[in-house]
């Protein structure tokens, strides 16, 4: 016998769209079988009815033959031979009637009864289990919807515990009903074959028996055929019993699992999180806008494939593309008093989608997986090993070690601003001196700031003047008239990772060490949230602008930027060191680390060009020479690299360095 397709009981708990899609095939097959069984039963009942009619007909015929003798024919003489012959015919018909009666009884037992039992028992059981499974699925969806709406307030712990128990009970009920339903559908594939063949075997056997007794019309070949068919039915019966035993054992094992399988967020305090995932799948709640201020949430099945995030509703044959994850950013967000929400933002800075996981473990694993995919690790030969290596590097303790820049043999992208001789390619060769130790760059235990906050002196400098001040330290764009007069204007989309005090600005190694410590601290403390800004590079300053309100978050004069560099491996990392005056009369050094949608080298190029403009503005001849060496637009603005503005929201308007 060929192998029979079956539903895997192990996938009943996950209830994925793939399993639902396969389940729909089985359900369609069961529906088709039900229709066919009813039609087949009608045909068999018609045969059985014809056989009963044959019995009545032969019985009536036998009586009618005997009644010939009792007829009072006026010309009835000479009918004795006819009457005797009719008596013989009546006896033959009576014996034939006995054979037909026995055949009708056998047809009822061996042909009609099995198909009726199959319809009333097996098909009805499948239909009932289908209804129970649907009710259990609906109850589980309602419980999950109620659980997803739980607030984050601690005073609702009792309510949360009750809802978790309700979810666990609904999930266990759905699991049990799905296992019973799957077992019934799997067994139906075997019973279907038996139910189709057993009635015909009985019909053929009784017909042969009938004709053998009557006229020996069937040959021995039919006997051998029926014997082989009987053996086949018996073998199917043996397979059914073996498979039923396996399903029974498997069902017991699956139902004996721990309660944590059914309870979401079971280990909320310290879940075991896999940060090395390069693919992920599971149910998430998708936030949809239904109006200007109203939103709705929809529970869908999401999975990653290569560099894409796909969504597959229940019953769908395949998933649809939701988001391209290459070079995207992901961060945890607070959304409508819901827990475990995170947002995926496209590389161009456009607001992406907001999703909600059902537990802390799922939330952090989704963020880690999307972050790994955005780095395009899946394109490497051994993506799992690369993900493990990168995450192990990020999880190293923040201890003084050799800077990441020591491993690089290529030229450093940092610009040593204390060297007055700048090369035409805007890069300086790597210094031959020995790389300083981490203690010489950053004091061990230096606190790291993960949000942008300016010192008091910087705040006063930004708000000095007769114009109206903003109490939040933000300033409107039109309050900086020097932007319009600046020869250089270049916009980049960046995300602030962190800042910390440093001890020196004499080498770019301090930036590499700050990058290492900021990334390690974010990984250790599970900090995924990042502030996205527009970095405007002009010939006077570096300005961070809020992309939503278009107000300035921070402003750094180019003369105070003493060191800047891009990471050699992760080219999207960029940092700079700022020298700021203190109220005590001294100076402090701070390193600011960012992640950019474009390469950090391009930001270094723009910053270096801005500092060159500051230098040559003091010398008209040098300024004229610089303007001749760098392409200009019709209105006198500098034109940077052809793909310089790719990270800017207006980058598709050309390569002009216009913010």
């Amino acid at each position: 016998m060929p192998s029979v397709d079956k539903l895997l009981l192990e996938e009943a708990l996950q209830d994925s769209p793939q399993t639902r899609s396969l389940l729909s095939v089985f359900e369609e097959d069961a529906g088709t079988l039900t229709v066919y069984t009813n039609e087949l039963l009608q045909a068999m009942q018609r045969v059985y009815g014809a056989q009963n009619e044959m019995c009545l007909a032969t019985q009536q015929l036998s009586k009618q033959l005997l009644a010939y003798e009792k007829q009072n024919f006026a010309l009835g003489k000479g009918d004795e031979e006819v009457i005797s012959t009719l008596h013989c015919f009546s006896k033959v018909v009576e014996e034939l009637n006995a054979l037909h009666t026995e055949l009708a009884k056998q047809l009822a037992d061996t042909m009609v009864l099995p198909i009726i039992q199959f319809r009333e028992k097996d098909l009805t059981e499948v239909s009932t289990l289908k209804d129970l499974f649907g009710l259990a699925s609906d109850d589980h969806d309602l419980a999950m919807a109620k659980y997803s709406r739980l607030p984050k307030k601690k005073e609702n712990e009792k309510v949360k515990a009750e809802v978790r128990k309700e979810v666990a009970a609904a999930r266990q009920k759905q699991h049990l009903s799905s296992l019973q339903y799957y077992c019934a559908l799997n067994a139906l594939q075997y019973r279907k074959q038996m139910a189709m063949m057993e009635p015909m075997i009985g019909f053929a056997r009784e017909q042969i028996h009938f004709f053998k007794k009557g006229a020996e019309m069937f040959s021995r070949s039919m006997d051998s055929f029926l014997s082989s068919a009987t053996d086949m039915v018996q073998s199917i019966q043996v397979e059914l019993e073996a498979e039923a035993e396996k399903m029974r054992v498997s069902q017991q094992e699956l139902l004996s699992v721990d309660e944590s399988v059914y309870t979401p967020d079971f280990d909320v305090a310290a879940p075991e999180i896999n940060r090395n995932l390069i693919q992920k799948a599971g149910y998430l709640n998708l936030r949809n806008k239904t109006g200007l201020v109203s939103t709705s949430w929809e529970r869908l099945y999401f999975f990653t494939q290569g560099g894409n995030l796909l969504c597959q509703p229940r019953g769908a044959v395949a998933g649809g593309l939701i988001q391209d994850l290459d070079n995207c950013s992901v961060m945890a967000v607070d959304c409508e008093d819901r827990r475990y929400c995170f947002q995926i933002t496209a590389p161009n800075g456009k607001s992406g989608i907001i999703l909600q996981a059902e537990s802390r473990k799922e939330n952090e694993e989704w963020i880690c997986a999307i972050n790994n995919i955005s780095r395009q690790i899946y394109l490497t030969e051994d993506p799992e090993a690369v993900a493990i290596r990168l995450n192990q590097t990020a999880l190293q303790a923040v201890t003084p070690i050799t800077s990441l820049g020591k491993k690089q043999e290529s030229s450093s992208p940092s610009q040593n601003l204390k060297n007055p001789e700048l090369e035409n390619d805007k890069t300086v060769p790597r210094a031959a001196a020995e790389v300083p130790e981490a203690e010489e760059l950053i004091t061990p235990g230096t606190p790291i700031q993960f949000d942008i906050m300016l010192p008091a002196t910087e705040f006063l400098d930004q708000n000095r003047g007769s114009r109206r001040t903003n109490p939040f330290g933000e300033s409107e764009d039109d309050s900086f008239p020097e932007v319009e007069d600046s020869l250089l204007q270049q916009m980049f989309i960046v995300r602030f990772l962190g800042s910390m005090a440093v001890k020196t600005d004499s080498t770019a190694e301090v930036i590499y060490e700050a990058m290492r410590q900021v990334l390690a601290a974010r990984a250790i403390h599970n900090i995924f949230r990042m502030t996205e800004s527009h970095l405007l590079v002009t010939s006077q300053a570096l300005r961070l602008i809020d992309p939503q309100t278009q107000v300035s978050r921070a402003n750094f004069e180019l003369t105070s930027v003493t060191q800047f560099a891009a990471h050699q491996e992760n080219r999207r990392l960029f940092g700079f060191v700022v020298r700021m005056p203190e109220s005590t009369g001294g100076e402090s050094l701070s390193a600011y680390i960012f992640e950019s949608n474009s390469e950090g080298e391009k930001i270094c190029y723009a910053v270096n060009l801005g500092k060159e403009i500051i230098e040559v503005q003091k010398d008209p001849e040098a300024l004229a020479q610089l303007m001749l060496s760098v392409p200009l637009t019709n209105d006198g603005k500098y034109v940077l690299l052809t793909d310089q503005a790719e990270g800017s929201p207006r980058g598709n308007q050309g390569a002009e360095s216009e913010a």
Side-chain angles (χ1 to χ4, degrees), residues 144-145 147-152 282-287 297-300 302 333 335-343 353-359 362-363 366:
M144 283 305 304
Y147 172 80
S148 299
R149 293 193 298 269
L150 284 177
K152 297 188 292 185
Y283 279 98
L284 295 171
N285 290 332
L286 174 64
R287 180 174 179 263
W297 294 82
E298 183 179 6
R299 189 168 183 263
L300 299 171
F302 288 84
V333 294
C335 187
E336 300 179 4
D337 197 29
R338 286 194 174 223
R339 304 175 300 164
Y340 312 132
C341 295
F342 60 93
Q343 176 174 316
I353 59 175
I354 296 179
L355 302 169
Q356 180 192 21
E358 71 174 31
S359 65
E362 286 292 309
N363 182 49
W366 270 105

Side-chain angles (χ1 to χ4, degrees), residues 495-559:
R495 286 169 293 280
F496 180 71
L497 298 178
S499 64
M500 60 191 308
V502 297
K503 299 172 64 175
T504 180
D505 60 351
S506 61
T507 174
E509 298 297 327
V510 68
I511 298 179
Y512 303 143
E513 181 63 22
M515 289 178 179
R516 187 190 71 80
Q517 294 195 19
V518 168
L519 292 177
R522 279 183 168 270
I524 291 172
H525 300 292
N526 295 328
I527 300 176
F528 300 103
R529 188 174 305 166
M530 295 180 289
T531 303
E532 185 170 272
S533 304
H534 289 172
L535 176 62
L536 177 62
V537 182
T538 69
S539 56
Q540 286 87 17
L542 300 179
R543 186 183 310 157
L544 291 174
I545 301 174
D546 190 314
Q548 301 296 331
T549 62
Q550 296 300 313
V551 297
S552 180
R553 287 174 172 163
N555 188 57
F556 305 97
E557 297 294 334
L558 275 185
T559 54

Side-chain angles (χ1 to χ4, degrees), residues 170-451:
R171 188 168 290 178
Q172 186 175 13
K173 179 180 178 182
Q174 183 194 23
H175 190 199
L176 176 61
S177 62
S178 61
L179 288 175
Q180 295 175 345
Y181 187 32
Y182 288 4
C183 291
L185 288 175
N186 289 338
L188 185 63
Q189 302 305 308
Y190 297 92
R191 293 192 176 100
K192 173 180 66 175
Q193 301 178 25
M194 296 173 54
M196 296 300 104
M197 288 186 291
E198 278 187 337
M200 296 312 302
I201 291 175
F203 172 78
R205 280 186 177 278
E206 297 307 321
Q207 290 290 349
I208 290 176
H209 180 71
F210 172 79
F211 288 115
K212 275 186 175 180
K213 285 186 175 180
E216 294 293 334
M217 297 180 62
F218 287 92
S219 62
R220 294 182 179 180
S221 60
M222 181 61 71
D223 293 335
S224 61
F225 169 75
L226 293 177
S227 177
S228 62
T230 303
D231 293 339
M232 183 175 64
V233 172
Q234 292 176 353
S235 66
I236 295 176
Q237 179 67 29
V238 172
E239 291 181 9
L240 172 60
E241 293 175 356
E243 186 64 26
E245 179 65 21
K246 289 181 180 179
M247 290 189 293
R248 186 185 64 81
V249 174
S250 179
Q251 183 176 356
Q252 291 179 350
E253 293 177 353
L254 293 173
L255 291 175
S256 63
V257 295
D258 190 74
E259 185 181 356
S260 60
V261 176
Y262 302 103
T263 306
D265 217 7
F266 183 80
D267 190 8
V268 66
E272 297 181 1
I273 301 171
N274 185 0
R275 304 184 184 279
N276 306 319
L277 296 173
I278 55 174
Q279 58 182 6
K280 182 72 175 171
Y283 279 98
L284 295 171
N285 290 332
L286 174 64
R287 180 174 179 263
N288 297 316
K289 288 187 177 181
T290 57
L292 294 177
V293 294
S294 60
T295 58
S296 64
W297 294 82
E298 183 179 6
R299 189 168 183 263
L300 299 171
Y301 187 83
F302 288 84
F303 61 96
T304 61
Q305 189 175 55
N308 298 321
L309 177 66
L310 297 96
C311 171
Q312 185 174 0
R314 287 184 180 178
V317 179
L321 178 63
I322 296 295
Q323 180 78 41
D324 184 0
L325 299 180
D326 287 343
N327 298 319
C328 73
S329 61
V330 58
M331 66 183 74
V333 294
D334 293 328
C335 187
E336 300 179 4
D337 197 29
R338 286 194 174 223
R339 304 175 300 164
Y340 312 132
C341 295
F342 60 93
Q343 176 174 316
I344 304 174
T345 305
N348 58 7
K350 294 182 179 179
S351 59
I353 59 175
I354 296 179
L355 302 169
Q356 180 192 21
E358 71 174 31
S359 65
R360 175 186 171 188
K361 178 178 182 295
E362 286 292 309
N363 182 49
E364 296 192 14
E365 285 190 351
W366 270 105
I367 292 176
C368 292
I370 294 174
N371 191 36
N372 291 336
I373 294 173
S374 68
R375 301 178 186 176
Q376 299 183 348
I377 296 177
Y378 64 92
L379 297 177
T380 59
E381 294 182 359
D382 192 355
E384 293 184 0
V386 175
I388 293 174
R389 178 174 60 84
L390 291 178
N391 283 285
Q392 285 178 346
T393 302
L395 287 172
Q396 291 176 352
V398 185
T399 56
I401 62 173
T402 304
S403 173
L404 295 176
K406 287 184 178 182
K407 300 179 182 180
Q408 303 301 322
E409 298 297 332
S410 60
S411 297
S412 171
S414 63
Q415 309 299 320
N416 191 341
L417 302 176
K418 297 182 180 181
N419 185 356
E421 298 180 359
L422 297 173
E423 295 297 328
N424 292 333
D425 59 355
K426 304 302 181 292
T427 60
V428 176
R430 178 167 54 102
E434 184 179 356
V435 177
E437 295 297 330
E439 299 92 333
E440 302 175 9
L441 303 174
I442 302 175
T443 302
T446 300
I448 299 176
Q449 184 173 294
F450 296 107
D451 199 0

